[in-house]
Amino acid sequence: MSSAPDEQWAWLGLLKWSLSYSDGTKPSSESVAMSEEDKKFLEEVMKNGILDENERMKYIIEQMAIAMEGFKHGSMDINMDELEDLLLELRDIVEKIDYARAFCSLKGLPFLLGSVQQNEKVPTSIRNALLGILATLCQNNPPVQMELLDLGSIRILSEIFFIETEQSVKAKIVQAISANIRNHATAESVYCETEQAKELVAQGLGVGGEVSEQLKKRTLFFLWALTTSDTSDRSRVRKFEACIGFVADNFLKDTNSAEIREMSLQFLNRVLEQKNSVNALLDPRKSDVVALGIDRVSTLRGLDGDEREYASVEVEQWETFLLQLSRMKPDAETTPLITAGQPSPSVLPQ
């Protein structure tokens, strides 16, 4: 993050070099504004429904490179509305796995990671759009997830998160990190082993102070996916047990939105169902949560009409949660197996 100015923009040169060896390139002097030829092309697409998405993707990437060159030098001639429309179109294209990998072959990933770091030069709306593209690219796409890991994406995005002041960007960063690691065993393990793993989740939930609803939801979903994935275990759940406890203490109250409350209950129910580690939800916290749950169920059952129907999901989740809590016992600590001929743990050498 503290590299020399030219080094900070090295990814832009890499993208330009890559594009110069691909088909469908255009002179770098072109602006982001849509030419008459492009307008005719789009009219033809709308009329006949014919679109070469591969060529279109290359064109958009070229326009991105031109725009970034403009941002780098402080240009005021960039048409932001058209650029944002192009980025939205690119996001839709790379939702398809084949196009996502084609984007990577054009050195698109270093470009995205580099551009989102330029918080002083690149506008917030563009950085948010680029982070959204990054999340779309790698979601459930193991080769892209692995390539991002190799590029140090977790470290880069985490560093941006901790210095970022815009809540919308923070929410997009959490979304991108979440998509980068979800359902990828190696990526999940790599993230959990980083020093900043717990702190990023804690800040995203609002442990250090109130955060936006969007950031809170994105972080809650990330925590849910990470701690209850198929590869999660006791060690991982315990690593994040303070965050799990924070959710139980703060997100179940009626001061939160219905969506946050329901997400939290579904998450906590899953933690109890898996039984990897449940200590974070037991006493002394359990008594307060049970009292809150009983009060909430009583209140919600007293509603009428549409309000009662709207609250039915929360009531069902609360009832399941309270039932599971009543049956839970503290984690059973396992004792290492001692094979014949081995000394017992009490006499092992210190």
Side-chain angles (χ1 to χ4, degrees):
M1 301 293 285
S2 58
S3 305
D6 286 344
E7 293 177 352
Q8 291 180 2
W9 292 85
W11 44 269
L12 184 53
L14 180 62
L15 181 71
K16 289 179 179 179
W17 176 88
S18 176
L19 288 172
S20 71
Y21 286 91
S22 66
D23 295 331
T25 57
K26 301 184 187 299
S28 60
S29 60
E30 292 186 12
S31 67
V32 175
M34 192 175 293
S35 67
E36 286 301 317
E37 181 182 354
D38 290 319
K39 289 178 181 178
K40 290 179 181 178
F41 168 76
L42 288 179
E43 288 172 1
E44 185 69 18
V45 169
M46 295 298 290
K47 180 179 178 181
N48 299 317
I50 301 170
L51 177 62
D52 185 337
E53 290 187 312
N54 193 50
E55 290 302 315
R56 188 64 183 162
M57 179 174 66
K58 290 176 183 176
Y59 170 76
I60 295 171
I61 295 172
E62 290 160 10
Q63 298 307 301
M64 289 166 59
I66 295 167
M68 289 301 160
E69 190 69 43
F71 291 137
K72 177 181 178 181
H73 297 291
S75 172
M76 303 297 291
D77 296 329
I78 299 170
N79 189 319
M80 294 292 292
D81 290 338
E82 289 187 1
L83 181 58
E84 289 176 14
D85 287 344
L86 287 174
L87 293 176
L88 184 60
E89 183 182 349
L90 178 62
R91 190 198 66 186
D92 292 341
I93 291 173
V94 298
E95 278 184 334
K96 300 174 183 177
I97 290 178
D98 290 341
Y99 288 121
R101 295 179 184 175
F103 180 89
C104 296
S105 71
L106 292 170
K107 306 302 179 186
L109 295 182
F111 171 79
L112 291 176
L113 289 173
S115 59
V116 297
Q117 294 180 71
Q118 304 303 320
N119 60 316
E120 295 182 0
K121 296 282 189 177
V122 180
T124 296
S125 62
I126 300 302
R127 294 173 68 218
N128 280 339
L130 294 172
L131 284 163
I133 292 170
L134 189 61
T136 300
L137 277 163
C138 61
Q139 183 166 284
N140 298 319
N141 196 335
V144 178
Q145 289 173 299
M146 200 66 223
E147 186 171 342
L148 276 169
L149 282 184
D150 291 340
L151 290 170
S153 59
I154 292 175
R155 175 187 59 80
I156 292 170
L157 293 173
S158 297
E159 287 179 354
I160 302 171
F161 179 89
F162 288 119
I163 65 172
E164 183 58 55
T165 57
E166 291 285 347
Q167 295 275 303
S168 64
V169 178
K170 280 180 173 283
K172 285 290 187 179
I173 291 170
V174 172
Q175 180 189 30
I177 294 176
S178 178
N180 191 178
I181 73 171
R182 282 199 323 273
N183 301 319
H184 193 293
T186 300
E188 289 180 6
S189 296
V190 168
Y191 177 80
C192 290
E193 290 169 5
T194 61
E195 293 182 5
Q196 68 270 26
K198 291 190 293 183
E199 181 60 23
L200 188 148
V201 173
Q203 285 195 23
L205 292 174
V207 172
E210 189 58 35
V211 297
S212 69
E213 178 84 355
Q214 189 72 349
L215 176 54
K216 193 181 296 184
K217 286 192 292 188
R218 291 265 167 81
T219 309
L220 177 58
F221 179 76
F222 178 35
L223 177 64
W224 179 358
L226 185 62
T227 55
T228 64
S229 73
D230 292 341
T231 58
S232 184
D233 55 18
R234 175 167 295 182
S235 175
R236 184 181 299 180
V237 175
R238 286 187 172 179
K239 184 180 183 75
F240 293 95
E241 66 180 2
C243 293
I244 295 171
F246 182 83
V247 171
D249 291 340
N250 295 277
F251 287 7
L252 303 180
K253 301 173 182 177
D254 60 5
T255 51
N256 294 282
S257 67
E259 186 176 5
I260 288 289
R261 294 196 305 270
E262 290 172 11
M263 282 182 65
S264 299
L265 284 166
Q266 290 167 353
F267 162 48
L268 297 176
N269 271 322
R270 185 59 180 154
V271 170
L272 294 179
E273 288 168 7
Q274 287 189 324
K275 298 186 179 70
N276 281 327
S277 176
V278 299
N279 286 354
L281 299 174
L282 301 184
D283 287 329
R285 176 172 287 117
K286 177 179 176 180
S287 300
D288 291 337
V289 172
V290 168
L292 173 63
I294 292 173
D295 182 64
R296 284 295 297 158
V297 170
S298 175
T299 299
L300 295 173
R301 282 179 174 169
L303 298 175
D304 296 316
D306 292 342
E307 286 188 332
R308 183 184 181 91
E309 184 177 351
Y310 182 71
S312 62
V313 173
E314 185 177 348
V315 171
E316 182 180 346
Q317 289 296 324
W318 263 118
E319 289 174 343
T320 301
F321 185 53
L322 293 174
L323 179 61
Q324 287 202 93
L325 267 181
S326 69
R327 296 173 175 174
M328 284 298 142
K329 297 180 180 179
D331 300 343
E333 301 299 335
T334 57
T335 303
L337 293 175
I338 305 299
T339 58
Q342 286 185 314
S344 66
S346 60
V347 296
L348 286 174
Q350 300 299 308

